[in-house]
Amino acid sequence: MLQPLLHDLVSTVMAPASALSGPDGQIRQAGVQGLFRADRRVLSLARLLVDGREPEAVGHAFAGAGRTRFVSLARWLGDPTADPTVRLDRMRELGPYGMDEHIEIVSTASGPVTATVTVELACDFAAIDDVKSGRTAVLPAAPRPPATTGPTAVAALAGEGRLSWRSEGTQVTVTGHGAGTRAGARACLTWEVTLPPRGRTTLSWSLAVHDAAAVVVPATGPLEWSEPRVTADDRRIARLLDQALADLRSLRLAEPAAPGDTFLGAGVPWFLTLFGRDSIWAARMLLPLGTRLAAGTLRVLARRQGERLDPHTGEAPGKIMHELRRNAFTLGEQDRRLPAAYYGTIDATPLWISLLHDAWRWGMPHAEVQALLPALQAALGWLAEHADPDGDGFVEYIDVGGRGLANQGWKDSGDAVRFHHGGQAEPPIALAEVQGYAHRAALDGAALLDAFGMPGAARWREYAETLAERFRAAFWVDGAQGRFPALALDRDKRPVDALTSNIGHLLGTGLLSRKESAEIAALLTAPGMAEGFGLRTMSSGDGGFSPLSYHCGSIWPHDTAIVLAGLAREGFDAEAAALAEGLLAAAESFGYRLPELYAGDARERVGRPMAYPAACRPQAWSAAAALTIAHAALGLYPDVPEERVLLRPLSGAALGALTVGGLRVGEHEVEVNVAHDGSATVSGLPDGMRLVHAEAAATR
């Protein structure tokens, strides 16, 4: 069974609900099409017919967060002319508890138009992992037996114009306003329509879901980040930010017991739930717009922080979890089954520590940071006691239970960790970027311990220093293109010598010397890694490379954004600008909604980026990458506790003149302007905040 493809589908999202349809707006009983909510498909068919025929699609357009317009024609109706005279505008709008559709029928015909309009409906209550694996099954009580093709649920009449479906505590109710109804496995709503000459009418139906077992719910309260105001020479920046922030608005989630603590669901359709690593990175990228999202994400993950050792779930004391589901999640193979609350991630814990630190620097309120210090100490305890199971001084992972994820870094596919010749590494695996995360987390943890008068900071600074020395001795290899850190160490402590994007995550962690950073910057922006639309996950010179490999040759926007942010922070401006240009070019090609990933073909070969056919869209960290591009260009780096702001924009206005208002430093709204000549100014900083320009900082 093959995973269904996504690249030619249209997604409309308002978390925890998402609708996937064809470009014509039709939801058909095929692949991953349907309306999903909290890991279940609550509508598997929504097909619009006019006189028993499907209208002919013209196009579609996103109409804001949770809204999509689909335009089609009924050319057999109206005047017998070359120009169509009957048009249908199908506006789909998702809310947190369901979906509404408004079908506007407009006639410009000279005579009356009469038609029967039908919406066919079905519901199968399929589990998201069954859909992802190419299976379709009604969700039975856990534990589930091996999945087989399951029947469609039968709709019952629920009153005038109403239909309902029920399964395992979930109820779906459809109301057709003014419609006739037919129940059964394939239900329908029907309207008889008569339009006068040049007339119009609007038909409406709505779907509501009641699901008491959902583990995620809509976020409540106002938006957690500010709305930036952008003026840019390069208009792609503003267009990308507009679409990205609309998508991020639609991905906001919370847990039922704490609806006020918002986090971002990772992506549509497979990952619209809490993911430690993804939610942390997205919140970190959005810090220039405020700390509220980071604070909510930190608290949600702290409440689920590990308390005991459990090889089945991957839980360990102090560890930050990987993902949360309503049921155990079956991977492609039946012997791989993740528990509903799964901790199989090696990097979420150090990333959590650094998110807390960065949010504190951006101005997260003192009391909120202080409340999370016990979770910080527990996370540092995991780093000290459980992150290095074989005692070699490196952070590593192995799936002890044998049924979880084989790879537990951000490149978590089974074949992601490969040698230069293409062979796969055997666990336990110590990933390069995870050593950088651990180094940064140790220094960040030390800074927080010192600031809040807690003991242990010296221990963590010594840990970071020792880790850097070990890394320098064990990871660096000589390749055909030069010297660089290996992707990982395998079980025999051999360097996994493929050239990959992972090493770009080391920039800005403090693990590297200036010379080492320069070597990495040069290699990552050379043709083998960056001749496409962003940064490849693996060099085209490596044996495992394929432009359509999930983690060995494709391009991930968030990965490219993390690396370009590190390049900018360390002063490799031209290299950072080149990667930013690649993402902007890709964004233009994808209608400014960057997907989870896309193919790593060279530009000269394809001219535009090719879709990765199973990529999620929207994806939280891909959308958040838009802000990282703008932030790197502006170069605003605050330290609110020290009452200091560093300003270091990309030199020479590398992305053109750019002004962004609505940024937040603490509780204050600020604006940064980068002029055509590269000079930069900041307005709106709080009284007493000292502004330090990059040139002055370099001499300190």
Side-chain angles (χ1 to χ4, degrees):
M1 290 176 284
L2 297 175
Q3 179 174 323
L5 303 184
L6 300 170
H7 66 286
D8 58 351
L9 300 183
V10 176
S11 58
T12 309
V13 186
M14 185 56 66
S18 61
L20 284 89
S21 72
D24 57 359
Q26 303 282 42
I27 296 175
R28 298 179 174 86
Q29 289 176 302
V32 68
Q33 295 189 41
L35 174 65
F36 295 82
R37 190 178 187 281
D39 281 353
R40 296 188 80 176
R41 182 157 58 190
V42 295
L43 190 69
S44 55
L45 175 70
R47 192 165 74 115
L48 172 65
L49 302 172
V50 178
D51 292 336
R53 301 167 63 176
E54 291 196 21
E56 297 172 280
V58 172
H60 69 276
F62 299 108
R67 303 175 76 235
T68 308
R69 181 187 300 274
F70 301 91
V71 178
S72 58
L73 306 173
R75 291 196 295 164
W76 59 91
L77 297 176
D79 295 343
T81 64
D83 292 334
T85 56
V86 178
R87 164 177 164 157
L88 294 86
D89 279 37
R90 183 180 188 176
M91 179 65 78
R92 176 170 296 150
E93 183 169 0
L94 265 65
Y97 294 99
M99 181 175 80
D100 294 305
E101 283 201 350
H102 304 284
I103 305 161
E104 184 184 39
I105 307 173
V106 179
S107 171
T108 57
S110 57
V113 170
T114 301
T116 300
V117 179
T118 303
V119 176
E120 295 183 335
L121 301 164
C123 174
D124 65 359
F125 291 107
I128 190 71
D129 53 326
D130 287 332
V131 178
K132 187 176 190 293
S133 298
R135 304 181 300 269
T136 302
V138 174
L139 185 71
R144 281 186 278 138
T148 57
T149 300
T152 298
V154 176
L157 295 175
E160 186 175 353
R162 300 179 71 197
L163 300 162
S164 70
W165 295 259
R166 294 175 183 268
S167 174
E168 304 269 336
T170 302
Q171 179 173 339
V172 177
T173 303
V174 166
T175 302
H177 306 289
T181 56
R182 184 185 73 202
R186 179 169 290 201
C188 68
L189 305 171
T190 303
W191 297 263
E192 300 295 336
V193 174
T194 299
L195 297 178
R198 304 192 68 81
R200 68 177 61 209
T201 190
T202 299
L203 312 176
S204 299
W205 65 278
S206 58
L207 179 147
V209 182
H210 176 74
D211 182 6
V215 296
V216 291
V217 296
T220 60
L223 195 64
E224 290 75 20
W225 55 85
S226 62
E227 303 267 14
R229 302 178 300 277
V230 182
T231 304
D233 280 353
D234 190 333
R235 296 186 179 183
R236 296 174 301 177
I237 296 174
R239 294 187 65 181
L240 176 57
L241 270 170
D242 283 346
Q243 181 63 56
L245 291 170
D247 284 335
L248 290 166
R249 203 174 299 125
S250 73
L251 294 173
R252 299 163 63 235
L253 284 170
E255 290 188 289
D261 281 342
T262 301
F263 59 89
L264 291 176
V268 174
W270 315 128
F271 311 122
L272 196 50
T273 185
L274 176 64
F275 269 75
R277 177 193 307 118
D278 302 54
S279 300
I280 289 168
W281 268 122
R284 199 171 175 186
M285 291 175 173
L286 285 178
L287 280 172
L289 301 183
T291 62
R292 288 185 58 213
L293 177 67
T297 304
L298 288 162
R299 286 192 288 265
V300 167
L301 290 169
R303 281 193 291 269
R304 291 188 171 272
Q305 197 168 21
E307 297 179 348
R308 62 193 180 95
L309 287 172
D310 185 340
H312 173 60
T313 65
E315 183 179 355
K319 194 176 186 182
I320 298 299
M321 74 179 308
H322 176 56
E323 68 179 283
L324 179 67
R325 300 285 187 175
R326 68 186 297 146
N327 296 103
F329 190 91
T330 301
L331 301 177
E333 299 298 326
Q334 289 292 323
D335 63 342
R336 295 276 176 181
R337 190 166 169 82
L338 307 184
Y342 181 55
Y343 288 78
T345 169
I346 195 62
D347 50 11
T349 308
L351 290 172
W352 186 95
I353 294 169
S354 290
L355 176 60
L356 178 62
H357 171 271
D358 290 358
W360 171 60
R361 295 291 189 195
W362 276 93
M364 183 173 162
H366 180 94
E368 294 184 30
V369 178
Q370 191 167 38
L372 288 167
L373 294 180
L376 168 67
Q377 290 178 305
L380 289 170
W382 173 83
L383 195 58
E385 303 297 330
H386 303 288
D388 178 16
D390 65 4
D392 68 343
F394 294 115
V395 178
E396 59 224 341
Y397 61 83
I398 184 171
D399 176 34
V400 176
R403 300 190 67 188
L405 291 171
N407 285 314
Q408 298 183 3
W410 85 260
K411 295 180 180 177
D412 57 4
S413 54
D415 64 350
V417 184
R418 292 173 172 253
F419 289 88
H420 170 68
H421 55 69
Q424 294 185 35
E426 293 295 328
I429 302 290
L431 291 169
E433 79 275 16
V434 173
Q435 314 316 310
Y437 300 159
H439 185 274
R440 171 75 191 272
L443 295 177
D444 290 345
L448 285 163
L449 294 174
D450 274 347
F452 286 83
M454 302 175 70
R459 172 195 182 186
W460 288 107
R461 291 192 178 95
E462 182 181 353
Y463 172 97
E465 183 178 353
T466 303
L467 179 58
E469 293 171 357
R470 285 198 187 101
F471 184 88
R472 191 163 288 117
F475 271 81
W476 283 82
V477 297
D478 290 314
Q481 300 178 63
R483 192 171 161 271
F484 60 90
L487 163 61
L489 302 181
D490 74 352
R491 68 181 177 190
D492 298 319
K493 309 307 174 186
R494 295 180 301 168
V496 182
D497 56 349
L499 175 58
T500 64
S501 63
N502 300 58
I503 62 175
H505 292 224
L506 299 173
L507 297 165
T509 65
L511 189 69
L512 305 171
S513 68
R514 176 67 183 176
K515 179 179 180 293
E516 290 166 343
S517 293
E519 290 176 301
I520 288 174
L523 281 173
L524 292 186
T525 51
M529 289 296 294
E531 61 187 338
F533 296 85
L535 181 65
R536 285 173 171 151
T537 44
M538 178 178 283
S539 168
S540 59
D542 281 287
F545 171 81
S546 166
L548 281 174
S549 167
Y550 196 56
H551 287 132
C552 298
S554 59
I555 294 170
W556 291 62
H558 90 280
D559 182 37
T560 300
I562 290 168
V563 176
L564 80 84
L567 290 167
R569 190 65 188 262
E570 294 211 16
F572 299 101
D573 294 4
E575 293 85 349
L579 293 183
E581 165 56 33
L583 288 182
L584 290 170
E588 189 174 28
S589 181
F590 287 112
Y592 296 96
R593 181 182 255 188
L594 282 169
E596 176 188 16
L597 71 157
Y598 44 89
D601 297 296
R603 288 200 198 199
E604 64 180 25
R605 176 178 173 82
V606 295
R608 58 175 292 172
M610 294 293 107
Y612 181 87
C616 294
R617 205 164 50 136
Q619 187 88 349
W621 57 13
S622 289
L627 186 61
T628 298
I629 295 170
H631 179 232
L634 299 172
L636 183 74
Y637 304 106
D639 187 344
V640 171
E642 294 294 325
E643 297 185 308
R644 178 178 181 266
V645 171
L646 173 66
L647 185 63
R648 196 205 176 283
L650 293 181
S651 58
L655 299 183
L658 175 64
T659 299
V660 181
L663 303 172
R664 298 199 72 84
V665 175
E667 296 301 316
H668 296 265
E669 186 173 298
V670 304
E671 179 176 286
V672 180
N673 172 261
V674 178
H676 291 92
D677 63 1
S679 61
T681 57
V682 181
S683 59
L685 289 176
D687 293 340
M689 187 73 69
R690 182 165 52 97
L691 180 63
V692 180
H693 289 270
E695 295 78 10
T699 63
R700 291 178 60 83

